[in-house]
Amino acid sequence: MDSPEQKITKTVSRVTASKESMANSRQVIGINFCGPTPLMWRADDLKSVRELGIIGNLVGSLARQPRQNTRLGRPLELLPEEGRLLADMGRAAVIPDSTNEDPEVEHYHAGLENSFQEQGALALEDRKATLMRVMTEKHNENPGCQEDSDGAVRDRLEALARGFSFPRTAMAVQLCTARAGLSHCPEVRRFLAADWPIPRDERSETRFRVFRDLRRQGFYLTSAGKFGGDFLVYPGDPLRFHAYFIVVCISMDESMPLCDVLAIARLGSNVKKTVLLCSSGGSQEDDGEEVVYTSLQWSGMV
Amino acid sequence: MGFSAHGKQCLHPEEALYLMECGNLQVFYQDLPLSIQEGYERFLYSKTMSVQHYQVFGHLKRLGYVVNRFDPSVVPCSSVPSQYERQLNLPQSQDRSGRLPKRKRSHSPTSRHTGTQEGPTSKRMEEEKDCNREEEDKNPDSLPDLSAPDIDEIQTASHVDPTTSTEGGQGRSWWSKEGSPDPDSELPGQPQSSPRWDFSSIPFPDLGSRSWLPSSLTSPDPCLLPGAVGSVGACDVAPWLQRLNLREVRMSRRECERERDRDRYRRDINQDREVRRCRNWAEYQELQGRRIQRSRRDRPTHLWEGPVTPLHDPAQVTSTGELLDKISVIKSTRLLEGASSLKGSEEWRICFNIYQPDTVAEFKKSAPGKPYSRMCVCSFDGPVPDLWTLKLLVFQSGAVPVTYAVVDHGDISFYSFKDFQIPTDTSF
């Protein structure tokens, strides 16, 4: 049995480990926490989350082109409000970090061996095809010599098949993005789900309520740190629209100095977005509490 | 990337994770290769390297920069020369531990006897300064022996007999020998106590004067020159004259008029009769003091005698700049003032050194050189860096600018604070 000496292989490609069908749309989406940050790793989870209207942000390297920053790949980082909303809706669950699984070493090595055999066979086929092409080209160039060309071709192919060896170091190895394991099967996720961490302070609570309310109204929201606010509000998918609003969440009884109001209004007018000052109503119930919106927009003298 | 420890090549966790994401590295744990997700969960759990730090690291590496961890014990002064040092263009101090000098240095006597030789030379400098100061002092008590060739044997006697000093100086022509110094007499304007320079007999070469163009300068008295130089010989004046601009200034009529108007109100201090009567600097200062006293007698007492006095006496001559300084409340300060006394912080620290890629600058692991910038990672949810933090981090960083990478759920923005001085008008 080959010991895993091939620690660094020539080409490593990343592939999702899951091949489950998309038929069941009520699958539970798995969210993994890395520290305080919620991340999502599975490609179909990402798709279903997008259909629910949660955008998130891709933060990993793109597998095919890792050394550029314009298009990034998995994992998808969620806003804490997004994750909490998904958990509240029952569509997502927090998967705890499971480190007590038995490492399936034999399974891995068997898979590696299978892959090696397959790749060897494919490589041989590839070589044969190349040889055939070269020989037929030669044959076409000298139309005169027709003596036993098929026999020669067959001999050459047999010699190739005998003498061909596929080196281990040329094997392509898969490096998985998402972890294969118990959390692989969606049914087990419900079983494993941990509780969503409850936010401690009033500010996160306000932010969540505003997020939920706006999401209920059908807007798509992303983070807006660069614009000096809490969220950017899009009328549809962010890939298709520009943002309409910058949301700034403040608590109902907090007083805001006039300089701050002016600053945020100026900022909004410079980037051609309306600023929404949002506060959630004082009640603690989940239903029926209101979110109050105040909009700031630059207007000319009428 | 990477470093060697205990003879093995090791990688930092963020470097390993980055290489895994690029597809260049497989990390095995318990005989199984780690997936990217496991890499994130295992490598990015601590406060030194969280997901936000890794996002900044990855972003910069993908752009092509060389990113290292910042080690506060290495910085700031040792390897990177400060900007002032670079302006002076000092030779870099080499690390001599492993290198033998190519040429064996011959032991010159100065290197051996530096201690003993520097003593007398420094004493000589001090005494020269003391000479010039105490010349004008009314108090001749600690007058040093003024015979220059014998300076090595200077006595620091409390009272030096002035007659001996004047006798000792007889060899030189510019000491006027009038009057014996009287240590007890009060001297408000009777400057006879100390030997004075007789400027009329000291030939100061004036190459720019049009009245007297010498062809060559005679050699100065050897007593004026430093000890071992001796006689220098006559100096040919012609090459020096060539370097001077001796052309007449031809002004247009308008310029002449302007000069005349300006000169109407300008008073040449050398034409002032009282000033001409002063024979040395001390007398001039006394004159100035007397003048100020005189002007002060005209001051209204109700203004000047109380506990709160006016900021400025209009009779006094001063410039606009000084007046503005007197009424200024806010003094300008530099960013590094008071920075050395700040202690470290738990919250704010510099995480990475950023070096430009190889095409722009030379980077070697053994000699990285000066980083392009240093990075501090924070987020929009956290506090804004205050002045204390800015000073602390700029001080820790040394001569390298500090950039703040603000991570906002996956989006990274870079900010930096630059020191700035409001330009002051130097005509004040």
Side-chain angles (χ1 to χ4, degrees):
Chain A
M1 179 66 154
D2 270 336
S3 57
E5 307 149 347
Q6 61 274 22
K7 296 230 191 295
I8 303 195
T9 52
K10 282 190 93 170
T11 48
V12 178
S13 65
R14 282 161 56 178
V15 133
T16 59
S18 76
K19 287 202 177 28
E20 53 218 16
S21 63
M22 281 299 297
N24 190 1
S25 63
R26 291 295 299 177
Q27 287 169 13
V28 172
I29 298 161
I31 299 180
N32 294 81
F33 270 90
C34 188
T37 321
L39 299 174
M40 285 175 50
W41 290 93
R42 304 195 166 268
D44 36 5
D45 281 352
L46 265 64
K47 277 190 227 169
S48 35
V49 131
R50 191 83 178 204
E51 285 161 9
L52 290 173
I54 302 291
I55 307 298
N57 211 350
L58 289 168
V59 295
S61 301
L62 192 64
R64 299 222 174 249
Q65 283 173 325
R67 290 183 204 266
Q68 45 84 33
N69 270 321
T70 39
R71 290 271 172 265
L72 295 177
R74 284 176 289 153
L76 184 79
E77 183 174 338
L78 297 175
L79 295 173
E81 292 80 29
E82 290 175 329
R84 189 171 158 199
L85 186 65
L86 285 172
D88 281 359
M89 282 171 18
R91 297 302 308 276
V94 178
I95 311 293
D97 299 347
S98 45
T99 48
N100 49 1
E101 295 174 358
D102 296 323
E104 302 169 336
V105 187
E106 283 94 24
H107 185 73
Y108 166 71
H109 285 308
L112 214 57
E113 189 63 33
N114 283 347
S115 169
F116 177 67
Q117 300 299 338
E118 278 179 24
Q119 289 185 35
L122 285 172
L124 184 57
E125 288 303 316
D126 197 38
R127 279 280 194 93
K128 282 185 184 171
T130 319
L131 188 60
M132 284 292 296
R133 192 180 62 237
V134 166
M135 296 211 63
T136 44
E137 274 173 17
K138 271 205 203 148
H139 178 70
N140 291 342
E141 273 166 32
N142 323 346
C145 47
Q146 283 220 355
E147 68 285 336
D148 205 16
S149 54
D150 291 334
V153 169
R154 231 179 299 124
D155 288 339
R156 292 283 291 274
L157 287 177
E158 277 170 24
L160 178 64
R162 256 178 281 126
F164 180 76
S165 72
F166 184 59
R168 280 265 170 192
T169 50
M171 183 174 72
V173 172
Q174 295 170 350
L175 206 165
C176 307
T177 309
R179 187 207 285 131
L182 274 182
S183 55
H184 173 91
C185 313
E187 300 82 39
V188 193
R189 286 186 201 164
R190 264 187 233 267
F191 176 63
L192 282 177
D195 291 325
W196 191 267
I198 300 180
R200 299 280 158 194
D201 52 346
E202 188 202 333
R203 187 179 140 69
S204 339
E205 189 64 33
T206 311
R207 277 177 61 126
F208 175 65
R209 292 206 184 151
V210 170
F211 183 89
R212 183 174 57 184
D213 194 56
L214 283 169
R215 188 69 206 92
R216 231 181 256 161
Q217 297 183 30
F219 292 108
Y220 288 65
L221 293 106
T222 54
S223 78
K226 286 192 299 251
F227 287 89
D230 287 308
F231 303 113
L232 279 179
V233 180
Y234 296 82
D237 196 285
L239 289 173
R240 296 167 60 205
F241 295 91
H242 281 300
Y244 277 11
F245 305 115
I246 304 174
V247 165
V248 178
C249 298
I250 48 182
S251 71
M252 196 69 114
D253 35 10
E254 177 191 333
S255 64
M256 205 169 167
L258 190 62
C259 307
D260 289 358
V261 175
L262 283 173
I264 196 77
R266 272 279 189 182
L267 183 62
S269 71
N270 272 347
V271 295
K272 298 193 188 62
K273 299 187 203 309
T274 308
V275 175
L276 284 184
L277 303 175
C278 310
S279 321
S280 75
S283 66
Q284 290 295 319
E285 307 146 17
D286 283 323
D287 304 340
E289 108 272 355
E290 276 190 346
V291 180
V292 179
Y293 298 97
T294 311
S295 69
L296 296 175
Q297 200 171 28
W298 186 278
S299 73
M301 297 279 278
V302 177
Chain B
M1 35 170 94
F3 59 96
S4 320
H6 313 298
K8 293 192 211 165
Q9 190 68 20
C10 305
L11 288 172
H12 284 300
E14 69 274 11
E15 296 169 339
L17 188 55
Y18 173 72
L19 286 174
M20 278 169 67
E21 283 201 309
C22 285
N24 293 38
L25 185 71
Q26 254 189 332
V27 178
F28 282 81
Y29 180 68
Q30 291 178 348
D31 295 330
L32 283 179
L34 292 178
S35 60
I36 308 289
Q37 178 179 357
E38 285 170 338
Y40 265 71
E41 284 164 9
R42 283 181 195 276
F43 298 166
L44 302 180
Y45 59 88
S46 72
K47 279 199 95 176
T48 15
M49 194 53 57
S50 67
V51 175
Q52 280 77 28
H53 290 96
Y54 176 69
Q55 281 172 11
V56 174
F57 178 85
H59 181 92
L60 291 167
K61 289 287 300 181
R62 276 180 234 124
L63 286 174
Y65 291 100
V66 178
V67 185
N68 285 347
R69 279 198 190 183
F70 173 72
D71 186 6
S73 55
V74 173
V75 189
C77 314
S78 53
S79 51
V80 178
S82 71
Q83 190 182 4
Y84 184 57
E85 282 176 325
R86 272 181 286 124
Q87 269 180 330
L88 293 179
N89 207 12
L90 289 176
Q92 297 294 318
S93 63
Q94 300 290 335
D95 184 26
R96 290 219 174 82
S97 58
R99 291 181 14 163
L100 298 167
K102 286 193 183 154
R103 250 181 289 140
K104 190 160 191 245
R105 304 246 174 96
S106 59
H107 285 287
S108 55
T110 48
S111 65
R112 266 217 199 129
H113 307 292
T114 351
T116 50
Q117 282 235 346
E118 273 181 11
T121 41
S122 59
K123 257 211 268 176
R124 185 183 306 176
M125 306 290 258
E126 278 180 337
E127 297 304 348
E128 296 266 18
K129 277 191 250 164
D130 285 345
C131 280
N132 295 335
R133 238 185 305 122
E134 276 142 21
E135 284 291 315
E136 327 310 329
D137 239 349
K138 297 162 225 162
N139 203 341
D141 271 351
S142 53
L143 206 58
D145 191 348
L146 292 167
S147 49
D150 309 318
I151 277 180
D152 282 340
E153 299 134 38
I154 285 174
Q155 329 280 330
T156 49
S158 55
H159 174 83
V160 175
D161 191 359
T163 47
T164 56
S165 71
T166 47
E167 279 174 9
Q170 257 172 17
R172 293 171 285 179
S173 60
W174 54 84
W175 298 117
S176 49
K177 301 173 191 93
E178 58 204 56
S180 51
D182 192 353
D184 298 323
S185 65
E186 293 304 306
L187 316 153
Q190 290 290 325
Q192 285 187 4
S193 60
S194 48
R196 291 168 288 110
W197 299 85
D198 184 12
F199 292 110
S200 52
S201 60
I202 303 176
F204 285 105
D206 180 14
L207 290 182
S209 84
R210 288 198 206 106
S211 50
W212 169 62
L213 277 177
S215 54
S216 77
L217 294 174
T218 52
S219 160
D221 195 314
C223 315
L224 286 177
L225 302 173
V229 176
S231 166
V232 182
C235 171
D236 183 22
V237 157
W240 295 108
L241 281 181
Q242 275 177 353
R243 296 182 198 193
L244 289 179
N245 177 8
L246 291 174
R247 285 175 294 171
E248 294 247 5
V249 174
R250 262 193 237 121
M251 291 194 293
S252 67
R253 182 182 307 167
R254 201 180 294 167
E255 284 177 354
C256 284
E257 286 174 3
R258 227 184 290 152
E259 282 280 328
R260 243 181 293 131
D261 284 337
R262 248 185 279 153
D263 288 341
R264 197 173 298 159
Y265 299 106
R266 198 185 281 167
R267 266 160 246 240
D268 190 3
I269 197 164
N270 289 326
Q271 307 296 328
D272 193 338
R273 251 184 298 139
E274 287 185 332
V275 173
R276 285 165 84 84
R277 244 185 271 136
C278 303
R279 277 177 290 179
N280 53 32
W281 190 251
E283 290 177 28
Y284 177 69
Q285 280 185 326
E286 281 169 56
L287 174 65
Q288 287 291 88
R290 263 179 287 139
R291 282 184 172 171
I292 287 174
Q293 286 295 323
R294 221 180 297 146
S295 65
R296 283 204 185 147
R297 263 181 253 134
D298 304 330
R299 286 195 205 171
T301 46
H302 67 275
L303 284 179
W304 290 96
E305 300 303 322
V308 178
T309 60
L311 204 54
H312 174 67
D313 182 9
Q316 263 187 1
V317 173
T318 184
S319 65
T320 319
E322 284 176 22
L323 279 178
L324 287 177
D325 274 341
K326 282 191 184 180
I327 62 176
S328 79
V329 173
I330 302 174
K331 301 265 181 255
S332 63
T333 173
R334 305 223 58 134
L335 187 58
L336 279 175
E337 266 180 45
S340 48
S341 56
L342 297 173
K343 293 193 200 69
S345 142
E346 287 301 316
E347 236 183 287
W348 295 95
R349 57 184 187 88
I350 299 178
C351 310
F352 299 117
N353 295 334
I354 316 292
Y355 299 87
Q356 286 189 303
D358 277 344
T359 46
V360 180
E362 279 190 5
F363 173 80
K364 283 186 260 192
K365 269 199 211 171
S366 51
K370 180 170 177 256
Y372 177 63
S373 168
R374 295 198 217 266
M375 200 65 59
C376 172
V377 177
C378 46
S379 82
F380 282 119
D381 296 329
V384 180
D386 51 357
L387 186 62
W388 184 86
T389 312
L390 292 179
K391 286 194 184 225
L392 176 71
L393 292 182
V394 164
F395 181 69
Q396 277 182 0
S397 157
V400 178
V402 177
T403 312
Y404 293 82
V406 186
V407 184
D408 171 41
H409 302 284
D411 281 325
I412 308 178
S413 323
F414 296 96
Y415 298 96
S416 68
F417 294 90
K418 289 200 173 24
D419 204 2
F420 173 72
Q421 288 282 69
I422 297 178
T424 50
D425 192 346
T426 53
S427 67
F428 282 168

